[in-house]
């Protein structure tokens, strides 16, 4: 465990104010360069999708191109889901006033609906980050990733269920808001459940028909060539997004918090909680783009509405600020962070005991600073 | 050739409207699933500071009547902004025409002046406006008096063209004020229209010393409108007035003084906003859909406040007539500055509203 200092009330306020100042400064500065960037990303998404799909048809006469087509289509979907869709849905580009890039109605290339995502992710996950019982990203209602979650024998299957979730990740995200667990336990009514299923079913139908019926049908007798290419592309996207997202909050040093921590939570404390619950990935420019800049998960959680292309630059400043206030800045390579995630998955499939919660501030009870 | 509707039908299951618009643009077309984009086909200088654009819209062209306006949108420094412009083309014509005055420091008018060359693409919204012959109940034998000040000439020119093209038989008079004789628009066109014996124009340059023999001069005043209108007045006319809010207010008084005449007016600037003497208060606004909130002053229009906070909101006329900025309101009350009335209703036109309580908006 790496040590972060418990901040005093004054330090916490200063820390929060410094981050607020960075946010204000960046939001006041958004403009043409950001607009040009996201339009270029949109263009890259559209052209790579076209290329990937085209290669799958060309593969009918030149079979070796099949794999290339599937991979390019997969990468296109990754770029669309991560750097374009995820960031646009956070409203990072709403100021452009472009109906195509509007956070409130953007619909992405994934079976889950944009509206569900805006609720489970933008609202619940970003507001209640890593709070047990509030942030359903903590285990996606399926996994036990922290000792604070109560152990049940079901979790013994965790290595298998985690792998299944990775392969079917878009479906995991899609049904997240249906809260099946609550439906089975009777905490959520049938009617509520049905109301949630309706828009989802419509989206699922559109997605499935597009990738698994209409595009394959265009290939006539070579239906399966295109069908399987699309299947692989979606699989590539699922695995990649799963990996990036899990590295963002489930590395060794990431913390979960009890609900009680929200009581009278100040701005500074909120920032601190975001920091403690998130972890970054080191990598090159292309890697950051393909991760939707979620490789800068810390900055994303501190400033979810600031255009993500700015996170790389901001990370230097945030890191310096963390040093100044004695806070651990969780960053590592993809292999190192992801192996920590895998360890968590395996370790907590077995019973485990939580370490006493390290206080974030000197104000909290049970402090031993 | 397949019609756009057929193409859309075929593509529907394969790609989204966003894809369709994107590829159409990449292939050099202004076609779009449902939005109306238009290409500038030609432009000409109209006067010292005005220019005319002829726009060819895609198949989603808005239906309109003479005297109406459209919101035009363009991307200026990364942001898509919208402003209203009156149509001077005839509804039956293929292209849409607008005439703009360059506003000093104005964003859209200067951007268009610099960038709206033939081939450039802009977006057009649906038409709006009540200053039409249909609304006024005008028939071909009615006498018409048009009062135009500055760029207020545009919708009136559109109406006059439409009347004469439609074989209007009643007398048509146009009183047209502008700064100097170099500012008047549609010189040749109006001269040609004056071939119609029932139509005549009187121009008034408001800045002395620059008038020529065809124009009167002098600042716009109620008395002056009164005299000129009375001089020219065909019996019991329909009066159409357009210009700044001040001008329209004056025209309204004159029309009231004339008794039996009917006035239809529109101004390009907001009516003198209602100012109440209450001290500045700050209110919390919650944006329900984006799940954010911000603090606004009771002295700022909500549209300005939201834009200043970096929140993009659809807008057009920015003076409460096109309804583009109208936003469902879940809770709270606002002051409608165009009427001075409190609004506790379910929708708020952000451009003319100020907060009078904490608000929950469906944004
Ligand atoms: C129904 C309707 C119909 C219209 N029809 C027409 C038409 O046919 N033709 C036409 O030309 N116009 C028309 N207008 C006006 C038009 O919509 C625009 O308002 C006009 O073109 C100015 O827009 P802009 O973006 O150039 O100026 P804006 O950027 O909106 O600025 C408006 C004014 O504020 C001033 N200003 C802006 N920023 C600053 C600053 N930082 N400091 C000081 N001053 C500033 C500018 O000088 C300008 O005078 C119409 C308006 C309405 C409501
Ligand atoms: S922008 Fe036209 S009514 Fe507000």
């Amino acid at each position: 465990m790496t040590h972060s200092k418990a901040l005093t009330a004054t330090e916490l306020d200063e820390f929060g104010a410094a981050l607020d100042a960075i946010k204000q400064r960046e939001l006041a500065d958004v403009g043409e360069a950001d607009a040009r960037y996201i339009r270029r990303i949109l263009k890259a998404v559209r052209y790579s999708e076209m290329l990937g799909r085209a290669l799958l048809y060309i593969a009918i006469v030149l079979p070796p191109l099949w794999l290339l087509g599937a991979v390019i289509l997969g990468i296109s979907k990754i770029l669309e889901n991560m750097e374009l869709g995820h960031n646009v849905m956070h409203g990072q580009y709403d100021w452009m006033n472009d109906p195509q890039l509007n956070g409130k109605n953007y619909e992405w290339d994934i079976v889950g609906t944009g509206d569900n995502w805006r609720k489970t992710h933008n609202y619940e996950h970003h507001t209640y980050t890593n709070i047990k019982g509030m942030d359903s990203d903590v285990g996606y209602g399926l996994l036990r990733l922290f000792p604070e979650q109560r152990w049940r024998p079901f979790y013994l299957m965790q290595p298998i269920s985690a792998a299944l979730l990775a392969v079917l990740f878009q479906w995991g995200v899609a049904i997240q808001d249906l809260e099946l667990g609550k439906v089975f336990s009777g905490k959520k009514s049938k009617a509520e459940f049905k109301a949630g299923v309706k828009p989802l079913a419509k989206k699922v139908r559109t997605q499935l028909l597009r990738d698994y019926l209409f595009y394959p049908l265009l290939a006539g007798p070579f239906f399966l060539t295109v069908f399987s290419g699309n299947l692989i592309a979606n699989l590539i996207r699922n695995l990649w997004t799963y990996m990036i997202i899990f590295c963002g909050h489930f590395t060794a040093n990431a913390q979960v918090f009890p609900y009680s921590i929200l009581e009278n939570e100040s701005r500074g404390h909120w920032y601190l909680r975001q920091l403690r619950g998130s972890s970054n990935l080191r990598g090159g420019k292309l890697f950051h783009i393909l991760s939707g800049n979620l490789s800068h998960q810390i900055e994303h959680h501190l400033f979810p509405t600031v255009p993500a292309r700015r996170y790389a630059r901001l990370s230097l400043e945030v890191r310096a600020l963390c040093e100044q206030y004695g806070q651990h800045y969780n960053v590592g390579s993809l292999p190192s962070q992801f192996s920590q995630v895998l360890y968590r998955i395996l370790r907590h499939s077995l019973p485990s005991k939580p370490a006493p919660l390290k206080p974030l501030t000197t104000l909290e009870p049970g402090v031993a600073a | 050739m397949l019609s756009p509707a057929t193409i859309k039908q075929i593509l529907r299951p394969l790609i989204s409207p966003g894809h369709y618009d994107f590829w159409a643009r990449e292939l050099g077309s202004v076609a779009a699933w449902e939005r109306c984009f238009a290409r500038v086909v030609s432009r000409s200088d109209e006067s010292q500071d005005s220019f005319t654009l002829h726009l060819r819209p895609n198949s989603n062209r808005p239906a309109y009547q003479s005297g109406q306006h459209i919101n035009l949108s363009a991307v200026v420094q990364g942001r898509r902004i919208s402003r209203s412009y009156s149509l001077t083309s005839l509804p039956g014509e293929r292209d849409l025409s607008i005439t703009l005055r360059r506003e000093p420091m104005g964003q859209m008018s200067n951007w268009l002046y610099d960038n709206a060359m033939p081939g450039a693409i802009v977006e057009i919204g649906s038409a709006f406006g009540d200053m039409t012959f249909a609304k006024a109940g005008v028939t071909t034998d009615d006498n018409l008096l048009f009062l135009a000040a500055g760029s207020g000439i545009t919708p009136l020119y559109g109406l006059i063209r439409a009347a004469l093209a439609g074989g209007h038989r009643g007398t048509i008079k146009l009183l047209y004020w502008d700064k100097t004789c170099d500012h008047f628009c549609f010189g040749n066109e109006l001269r040609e229209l004056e071939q119609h014996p029932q139509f005549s124009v009187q121009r008034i340059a408001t800045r002395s010393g620059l008038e020529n023999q065809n124009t009167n001069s002098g600042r716009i005043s109620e008395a002056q409108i009164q005299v000129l209108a009375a001089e020219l007045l065909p019996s019991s006319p329909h009066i159409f007035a357009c210009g700044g809010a001040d001008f329209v207010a004056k025209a309204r008084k004159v029309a009231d003084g004339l008794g039996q005449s009917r006035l239809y007016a529109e101004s390009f600037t907001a009516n003198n906003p209602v100012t109440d003497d209450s001290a500045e208060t700050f209110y919390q606004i919650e944006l329900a859909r984006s799940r954010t909130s911000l603090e606004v002053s009771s002295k700022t229009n909500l549209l300005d406040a939201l834009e200043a906070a970096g929140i993009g909101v659809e807008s057009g006329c920015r003076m409460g007539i096109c309804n583009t900025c109208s936003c469902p309101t879940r809770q709270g009350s606002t002051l409608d500055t165009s009427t001075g009335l409190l609004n506790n209703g379910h929708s708020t036109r952000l451009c003319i509203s100020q907060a009078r309580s904490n608000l929950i908006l469906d944004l």
Side-chain angles (χ1 to χ4, degrees):
Chain A
M1 271 280 171
T2 335
H3 284 289
S4 284
K5 197 176 125 193
L7 296 183
T8 65
T10 333
E11 283 172 329
L12 190 64
D13 283 346
E14 285 170 4
F15 181 71
L19 288 168
D20 267 340
I22 295 177
K23 182 178 98 177
Q24 295 308 337
R25 183 192 73 205
E26 293 301 311
L27 286 180
D29 182 55
V30 295
E32 207 161 4
D34 302 277
R36 212 176 312 121
Y37 174 80
I38 202 66
R39 291 221 165 84
R40 275 220 313 269
I41 293 290
L42 176 70
K43 213 168 192 169
V45 166
R46 297 275 189 262
Y47 272 95
S48 55
E49 182 190 352
M50 178 68 119
L51 179 65
R53 293 200 189 277
L55 285 172
L56 290 179
Y57 293 107
I58 297 173
I60 293 169
V61 282
L62 281 172
L65 289 183
W66 177 86
L67 188 61
L68 185 65
V71 170
I72 290 180
L73 185 56
I75 291 177
S76 177
K77 282 173 181 268
I78 286 172
L79 196 59
E80 194 277 340
N81 285 181
M82 307 286 266
E83 184 68 344
L84 188 64
H86 167 259
N87 288 328
V88 163
M89 283 195 285
H90 267 293
Q92 291 176 4
Y93 299 94
D94 278 7
W95 52 271
M96 288 171 64
N97 224 356
D98 183 333
Q100 293 291 322
L101 298 171
N102 183 292
K104 275 152 274 170
N105 33 32
Y106 189 88
E107 201 46 85
W108 54 351
D109 182 7
I110 175 173
V111 288
T113 67
D115 280 336
N116 272 348
W117 179 259
R118 277 177 274 269
K119 175 163 171 269
T120 57
H121 177 86
N122 284 10
Y123 174 55
E124 293 171 2
H125 170 62
H126 273 271
T127 315
Y128 303 114
T129 312
N130 279 20
I131 290 193
K132 201 165 66 90
M134 294 298 283
D135 176 4
S136 62
D137 279 17
V138 176
Y140 290 84
L142 184 72
L143 305 178
R144 179 170 182 266
L145 298 166
F146 294 92
E148 286 83 354
Q149 293 172 277
R150 185 179 316 150
W151 186 84
R152 284 182 282 131
F154 166 77
Y155 291 125
L156 288 171
M157 299 198 321
Q158 185 148 292
I160 299 168
S161 41
L164 271 178
L165 180 62
V167 170
L168 299 172
F169 194 50
Q170 66 162 340
W171 296 94
V173 169
I175 63 168
Q176 199 175 356
D177 196 40
L178 295 179
E179 303 175 302
L180 292 177
K182 282 195 193 167
V183 177
F184 292 135
S185 66
K187 283 192 210 140
K188 189 170 171 172
S189 76
K190 281 259 162 54
E192 274 179 284
F193 173 71
K194 278 205 184 116
V197 165
K198 221 175 146 194
L200 177 60
K202 186 167 169 241
K203 179 76 193 285
V204 167
R205 196 166 54 235
T206 316
Q207 289 292 115
L208 292 186
L209 287 178
R210 187 171 293 167
D211 274 354
Y212 300 123
L213 186 65
F214 294 124
Y215 276 117
L217 274 179
L218 287 185
F222 301 95
F223 184 94
L224 281 181
T225 309
V226 174
F227 180 95
S228 56
N230 289 347
L231 190 69
I232 294 300
N234 281 320
L235 176 66
I236 292 173
R237 185 269 323 274
N238 286 350
L239 295 176
W240 178 260
T241 47
Y242 175 91
M243 189 164 65
I244 296 294
I245 291 177
F246 272 53
C247 282
H249 296 294
F250 311 137
T251 55
N253 289 312
Q255 263 175 276
V256 282
F257 307 95
Y259 184 72
S260 59
I261 208 165
L262 287 173
E263 218 170 286
N264 296 323
E265 187 175 54
S266 70
R267 190 81 191 131
H269 194 277
W270 183 84
Y271 275 129
L272 200 55
R273 182 159 57 77
Q274 301 298 330
L275 174 67
R276 296 278 182 93
S278 310
S279 45
N280 281 8
L281 294 168
R282 237 179 251 121
K285 196 164 175 192
L286 190 63
F287 172 74
H288 290 313
I289 293 177
L290 285 177
S291 75
N293 273 299
L294 289 182
S295 46
H296 298 112
Q297 190 74 244
I298 296 176
E299 287 70 27
H300 177 58
H301 266 265
L302 298 175
F303 315 119
T305 54
V306 170
R309 62 181 279 273
R310 295 167 173 260
Y311 294 161
R313 180 168 48 76
L314 294 181
S315 66
L316 303 176
E317 228 171 317
V318 170
R319 195 171 184 165
L321 203 64
C322 288
E323 253 157 49
Q324 188 187 337
Y325 286 91
Q327 298 302 307
H328 176 56
Y329 186 87
N330 189 343
V331 58
S333 67
L334 181 63
S336 139
Q337 302 283 59
F338 195 59
S339 48
Q340 294 173 21
V341 171
L342 294 180
Y343 176 75
R344 252 188 204 285
I345 293 173
L346 296 177
R347 173 65 191 89
H348 300 297
S349 63
L350 303 171
S352 52
K353 255 217 242 99
L357 178 71
K358 278 195 307 165
L360 275 66
T361 70
T362 54
L363 307 171
E364 282 153 37
V367 177
Chain B
M1 268 291 276
L2 292 171
S3 76
T6 325
I7 296 178
K8 283 191 224 168
Q9 207 62 40
I10 296 171
L11 291 177
R12 168 143 244 147
L14 296 176
I15 65 175
S16 71
H19 278 76
Y20 182 87
D21 293 6
F22 176 87
W23 287 112
R25 187 62 62 80
E26 289 298 293
L27 297 170
S29 157
V30 290
W33 199 270
E34 52 190 7
R35 293 163 72 183
C36 176
F37 293 100
R39 201 187 289 281
V40 177
V41 282
S42 65
R43 67 181 265 164
S44 52
D45 283 333
E46 199 61 62
S47 74
Q48 192 188 47
D49 59 354
S50 301
F51 59 106
T52 294
L53 298 176
H54 299 286
L55 307 167
R56 183 153 305 165
N58 64 17
S59 58
N60 306 318
R61 112 202 265 287
Y64 71 96
Q65 295 173 39
S66 295
Q68 287 195 309
H69 330 280
I70 42 103
N71 286 335
L72 183 146
S73 309
V75 178
V76 177
Q77 285 167 354
R79 286 176 166 79
R80 176 169 161 275
I81 61 170
S82 307
R83 296 287 185 270
S84 305
Y85 295 98
S86 313
L87 292 161
T88 55
S89 41
L90 294 176
E93 288 173 343
R94 176 177 186 190
D95 293 337
L96 306 172
S97 311
I98 56 173
T99 295
L100 306 93
R101 169 155 291 176
R102 280 177 79 182
E103 293 287 342
M105 314 272 290
Q107 278 194 76
M108 179 67 103
S109 56
N110 285 295
W111 187 87
L112 286 172
Y113 185 80
D114 295 334
N115 297 282
M117 299 301 162
I121 294 169
V122 294
E123 186 177 357
I124 285 171
S126 50
F128 63 92
D130 290 335
M131 205 172 52
T132 61
F133 288 145
K135 281 255 161 133
V138 168
T139 61
T140 48
D141 290 316
D142 290 339
N143 294 324
L144 308 175
L145 173 63
F146 292 92
L147 305 174
S151 55
I153 182 66
T154 47
L156 302 187
Y157 171 65
L159 283 167
I160 293 168
R161 279 190 75 192
L164 293 170
H168 193 87
R169 288 191 296 267
T171 311
I172 304 177
K173 303 273 184 193
L174 167 64
L175 276 178
Y176 179 9
W177 285 261
D178 215 321
K179 291 193 202 80
T180 73
C181 54
D182 292 333
H183 286 84
F184 289 108
C185 295
F186 311 120
N188 293 332
E189 291 84 349
L190 286 172
R191 215 162 295 126
E192 230 160 76
L193 289 178
E194 277 187 292
Q195 304 291 317
H196 292 270
Q198 69 273 42
F199 175 59
S200 62
V201 187
Q202 168 96 50
R203 296 182 179 77
I204 307 101
T206 56
R207 292 203 182 143
S208 52
L210 291 160
E211 63 273 24
N212 66 21
Q213 71 274 23
N214 292 325
T215 54
N216 281 336
S217 67
R219 294 183 56 77
I220 303 174
S221 71
E222 247 171 82
Q224 183 202 35
I225 302 177
Q226 179 97 49
V227 169
L228 290 168
E231 216 171 83
L232 293 164
L233 189 68
S235 60
S236 69
H238 291 267
I239 304 180
F240 293 84
C242 190
D246 274 2
F247 174 79
V248 169
K250 284 176 189 150
R252 199 172 290 282
K253 282 198 186 146
V254 173
D256 286 347
L258 291 175
Q260 13 113 0
S261 46
R262 291 142 286 186
L263 180 90
Y264 314 94
E266 222 141 62
S267 68
F268 283 179
T269 54
N271 295 328
N272 284 340
V274 177
T275 43
D276 58 356
D277 330 316
S278 59
E280 181 171 31
T281 322
F282 289 87
Y283 295 106
Q284 203 63 29
I285 303 196
E286 194 183 319
L287 307 180
R289 279 167 66 69
S290 20
R291 298 184 196 270
T292 49
S293 59
L294 67 156
E295 198 179 63
V296 300
S297 154
S298 60
K299 298 285 178 193
T300 318
N301 285 329
L302 294 172
L303 181 63
D304 292 334
L306 290 167
E307 284 179 347
I311 295 158
V313 185
E314 280 286 299
S315 70
C317 68
R318 307 182 79 89
M319 53 174 294
I321 56 178
C322 72
N323 214 36
T324 309
C325 68
S326 173
C327 162
T329 311
R330 298 196 188 169
Q331 196 179 306
S333 60
T334 55
L335 177 76
D336 181 331
T337 58
S338 68
T339 59
L341 299 175
L342 269 191
N343 172 9
N344 298 310
H346 298 298
S347 80
T348 306
R349 275 169 296 162
L350 300 170
C351 62
I352 47 156
S353 299
Q354 298 172 348
R356 283 296 175 272
S357 75
N358 290 341
L359 297 170
I360 302 179
L361 300 177
D362 211 6
L363 271 179

